[in-house]
Amino acid sequence: MKNRIIISFILAVALSPSLAAYQQAEEQKLEKEASAYEKANAEFVMIEAEKFFLLEDYERALAFLDQSLSTDPKNHAAYFKKAEVLGIQEKYEEGLEAITKAIEIQPDNKFYYILGAQLAKQNESLEDAKRFYDMLQTNASGYEAYYAEIIDTYQQTGNNSDAITLADKAIAAYPNAPEFYLKKAEIELISGQTESATQTLSEGLNKFPQDDIVLQQYVELMSFQGKLPEATAQLEQIQTNNTKATLLLIDLYTQQGETEKVKSSINMVFEDDELGADAKALAIGYLIFNDAETGNENFIDSLQQVLQTSYPASAMVFENGGLIYSRLAFNPDPTVRKAYQEKAIANYKKLTQLNPGDFAGWNKVLSYEYNQKLWEDLTNDADEALSLFPNQAIFYYFLSAGQLGAGEIDDAEDNATQALRMSGSNQQLQSLLNAQLGLIQLARNNATQAETYFEKSVGFNTVHEEAILSYANYLSESEPQKALELLNGFAEGINQKLRAVSIQAKALLNQNNTAQSKSTMETALAQFPNEVDGASLEIYGDILFKAGQTNEALFQWQKALTLGGTSDKLEEKIANKAYN
């Protein structure tokens, strides 16, 4: 019995290590099985969270994500998803906490840093965004696709040196992306490194000679530095088969006064059948909008005529023509100016035919006809414009003006009243329309009612210039002193125009202050040569007649008649050689 106990004890001692090992293995197996179960359960819960995320049920998605994390606290993907959901809910601080935990668990995942930077930006903390980008470059790889975002963030936080360094890396990583040359040059300019920026753009231009933006930026920077010859030389090297380079050269040649080279380059553009109307219109634009008084007016006119003949159905060509001739109309010679104005309006009229929905084109046509007192044309064109734009009160105004000028007083009043009903809260438009109703009452010989409308027209917080001038013109004969006071009351801006000064001179004349009237008018004609028109020359003729200079007055009246836009009494003045 004693021996049996001893043997059992010896066996127990001998077997105890094996038994312990067996028990430990069983425990590890159970732990693994439990861990696998927990992870499987966490993954299942993640799937549920993703489902509700796609359904945009973000609260339930967050609930499942939290459940997943309670099961598996090391589930960095759950933290990432949670940060994404919190970002959508604009809970940026909580989102940043979640993405930070994801990064702590798996620090080499580039997408975690990218999301962190986005959340920081949404939280209006560019410095925190930069911190995430710094960590991204230290701990992860494969982030080259995000160079542009990182560079922008560095630039926005004032870390221009780091931005330039990264731009160099981006250029190396993406050798066919000109935008990184542009970005690097931009940051260098901001940093005051003009020479470096010039070198960067020059390198970009050599690598991407066909890139319009690189070309444009290079030329603008060189022009800013006054390095026109250097820019010209580089563009001349790449000019062949490069439309943009040729167009930019036209601009550079113009700035340097190289007239013959300008014409040669433009002719090259116009002779190239592969180039469309856009390039040819732009060539004219570079020439005229650099300096309209280069002595090239006839050349510009001929080019525009070629465009119109070559592209008779192009709305763009005729819109360009309107702009070109409007620009050429800034000419001190009133006869030349009128000729270009007529060409401008002819282009805008053609534009309204090709593109009836062009509101601006219609407005220019109607404004010109109004200023020239072409009442029949104004009535017809305003009526057509209203068929296309029935809710435009301004077109009712033009229709009313045309009808009033043609003596159709009732129709004029109806349309002015309709426009006023449509004016809403637009005080400036109401001002204009009340002045128009004042003119209509004058046509009815109802001066009292006219003055009521005129007074109302200048009583708004925002007064239309036409209302001031219409009322002042009326008062210049009946109450000249009040006309002068009215114009002086709106002195800012309005008295810097020939029409306003002409009315002042007319009022002075009707006060029998002929000398001051003449002096005022002659000063204005010299001061505003580009505004001289038939109406102002008619008034000047009136003043000269009152001053006893009949022949000079007759000359100005005849000149005014040629320009148009005069009163219906002008022909009588010329015939009688007198003004009463």
Side-chain angles (χ1 to χ4, degrees):
M1 181 71 177
K2 182 178 179 181
N3 290 336
R4 192 181 302 163
I5 292 172
I6 293 172
I7 291 170
S8 296
F9 174 76
I10 292 172
L11 285 171
V13 171
L15 290 172
S16 61
S18 298
L19 181 61
Y22 172 76
Q23 289 175 335
Q24 185 176 5
E26 284 297 309
E27 288 175 0
Q28 289 176 347
K29 181 179 178 183
L30 288 171
E31 286 179 4
K32 287 180 180 179
E33 288 176 354
S35 177
Y37 170 77
E38 289 170 351
K39 286 184 178 180
N41 186 49
E43 290 174 4
F44 170 76
V45 174
M46 276 286 291
I47 293 171
E48 287 297 296
E50 182 66 28
K51 179 180 73 176
F52 286 110
F53 174 79
L54 295 173
L55 292 171
E56 298 184 7
D57 187 345
Y58 300 123
E59 290 300 332
R60 295 182 73 178
L62 284 174
F64 276 104
L65 288 169
D66 285 336
Q67 184 180 340
S68 176
L69 287 167
S70 68
T71 304
D72 180 9
K74 297 294 185 180
N75 190 345
H76 51 84
Y79 278 117
F80 173 79
K81 197 67 183 180
K82 183 176 180 180
E84 187 178 8
V85 174
L86 290 167
I88 293 171
Q89 293 183 318
E90 299 183 2
K91 299 176 181 178
Y92 304 125
E93 293 289 348
E94 295 177 48
L96 287 166
E97 291 178 10
I99 200 62
T100 300
K101 289 179 181 177
I103 290 171
E104 289 172 355
I105 298 168
Q106 191 178 64
D108 62 348
N109 191 315
K110 63 184 177 185
F111 297 110
Y112 294 178
Y113 298 103
I114 299 302
L115 178 58
Q118 290 175 348
L119 289 170
K121 289 178 184 178
Q122 290 171 321
N123 200 38
E124 299 182 354
S125 177
L126 286 173
E127 288 295 339
D128 283 342
K130 178 184 178 297
R131 181 173 54 81
F132 277 107
Y133 285 139
D134 288 342
M135 292 190 293
L136 167 66
Q137 295 175 76
T138 301
N139 300 321
S141 60
Y143 52 82
E144 289 81 3
Y146 301 95
Y147 273 147
E149 294 177 27
I150 302 172
I151 292 169
D152 281 341
T153 303
Y154 283 172
Q155 181 184 353
Q156 290 166 8
T157 53
N159 293 277
N160 292 332
S161 178
D162 291 342
I164 292 171
T165 299
L166 197 59
D168 281 327
K169 291 182 180 180
I171 288 170
Y174 296 98
N176 296 318
E179 56 267 27
F180 288 117
Y181 284 93
L182 292 167
K183 175 54 73 173
K184 182 184 176 186
E186 175 191 330
I187 301 169
E188 287 171 333
L189 276 174
I190 291 171
S191 304
Q193 303 174 38
T194 306
E195 290 298 326
S196 296
T198 304
Q199 180 62 31
T200 298
L201 286 175
S202 180
E203 292 171 3
L205 184 57
N206 289 330
K207 189 168 182 59
F208 306 102
Q210 299 294 329
D211 189 280
D212 289 353
I213 300 177
V214 174
L215 263 171
Q216 185 76 42
Q217 293 295 319
Y218 172 76
V219 170
E220 287 182 2
L221 180 56
M222 294 294 280
S223 297
F224 174 74
Q225 297 178 80
K227 298 180 179 180
L228 299 184
E230 294 91 329
T232 301
Q234 183 146 5
L235 289 190
E236 286 174 338
Q237 293 177 12
I238 62 173
Q239 181 181 6
T240 306
N241 299 322
N242 191 321
T243 305
K244 183 66 174 180
T246 302
L247 293 172
L248 290 171
L249 274 169
I250 293 170
D251 188 28
L252 291 174
Y253 289 147
T254 303
Q255 292 183 56
Q256 296 172 84
E258 300 276 2
T259 305
E260 291 307 312
K261 287 186 177 181
V262 169
K263 292 184 176 180
S264 175
S265 297
I266 291 178
N267 285 331
M268 188 185 306
V269 171
F270 270 74
E271 290 167 4
D272 190 337
D273 294 334
E274 294 184 4
L275 295 181
D278 289 355
K280 293 171 183 178
L282 190 57
I284 302 175
Y286 272 115
L287 177 60
I288 190 168
F289 289 104
N290 197 310
D291 184 359
E293 299 177 4
T294 57
N296 292 322
E297 290 85 353
N298 291 335
F299 180 53
I300 293 168
D301 186 10
S302 66
L303 292 173
Q304 182 59 32
Q305 294 295 329
V306 170
L307 267 186
Q308 291 170 197
T309 303
S310 303
Y311 305 94
S314 171
M316 182 279 297
V317 165
F318 288 92
E319 183 177 11
N320 185 72
L323 293 170
I324 292 295
Y325 288 120
S326 294
R327 177 69 170 164
L328 288 174
F330 283 94
N331 192 299
D333 186 328
T335 304
V336 173
R337 181 168 68 253
K338 185 172 187 293
Y340 284 133
Q341 285 175 340
E342 289 175 349
K343 287 190 175 185
I345 293 308
N347 274 263
Y348 283 123
K349 276 199 168 185
K350 181 68 173 179
L351 175 62
T352 61
Q353 295 169 14
L354 295 171
N355 183 13
D358 192 305
F359 176 85
W362 281 107
N363 205 37
K364 288 180 183 295
V365 170
L366 299 178
S367 296
Y368 175 79
E369 291 170 343
Y370 173 82
N371 290 326
Q372 289 295 310
K373 297 182 173 60
L374 302 173
W375 306 126
E376 184 178 353
D377 290 343
L378 180 60
T379 300
N380 293 334
D381 288 334
D383 194 43
E384 185 176 352
L386 279 169
S387 70
L388 298 164
F389 302 94
N391 296 320
Q392 287 296 330
I394 190 65
F395 288 169
Y396 277 100
Y397 164 74
F398 281 125
L399 179 58
S400 173
Q403 291 167 333
L404 178 61
E408 301 169 10
I409 300 175
D410 290 340
D411 289 339
E413 186 169 19
D414 288 343
N415 284 301
T417 303
Q418 172 66 11
L420 192 58
R421 282 196 292 265
M422 298 171 64
S423 62
S425 59
N426 187 332
Q427 290 195 8
Q428 190 174 51
L429 183 55
Q430 290 172 7
S431 170
L432 173 65
L433 292 167
N434 273 282
Q436 174 67 6
L437 288 167
L439 293 172
I440 291 168
Q441 291 302 319
L442 284 181
R444 295 190 187 280
N445 295 316
N446 190 342
T448 302
Q449 188 62 34
E451 289 190 23
T452 299
Y453 278 118
F454 280 135
E455 285 292 336
K456 187 174 181 181
S457 75
V458 296
F460 291 94
N461 291 330
T462 305
V463 179
H464 197 287
E465 182 179 298
E466 187 66 28
I468 302 166
L469 296 174
S470 294
Y471 191 17
N473 188 52
Y474 161 69
L475 290 172
S476 66
E477 295 185 8
S478 60
E479 298 181 67
Q481 184 58 38
K482 188 174 180 180
L484 294 171
E485 291 170 359
L486 175 64
L487 290 170
N488 289 333
F490 293 93
E492 187 176 350
I494 194 169
N495 286 334
Q496 297 303 309
K497 295 185 178 180
L498 179 58
R499 187 177 167 199
V501 181
S502 298
I503 295 172
Q504 284 181 331
K506 184 179 176 181
L508 289 167
L509 184 64
N510 288 323
Q511 285 183 325
N512 295 317
N513 193 342
T514 306
Q516 187 177 352
S517 173
K518 184 172 180 289
S519 173
T520 298
M521 194 66 200
E522 287 177 344
T523 300
L525 290 170
Q527 186 178 359
F528 308 109
N530 294 330
E531 297 179 27
V532 175
D533 57 8
S536 59
L537 291 182
E538 181 180 2
I539 292 174
Y540 184 39
D542 296 346
I543 295 169
L544 290 171
F545 180 82
K546 288 286 188 179
Q549 298 175 255
T550 304
N551 290 335
E552 291 85 346
L554 186 61
F555 174 77
Q556 296 298 333
W557 286 336
Q558 289 171 332
K559 194 173 180 181
L561 186 64
T562 302
L563 294 176
T566 58
S567 75
D568 55 7
K569 297 179 181 178
L570 180 59
E571 291 187 16
E572 183 182 347
K573 295 176 188 177
I574 294 172
N576 296 333
K577 297 183 181 180
Y579 162 63
N580 297 316

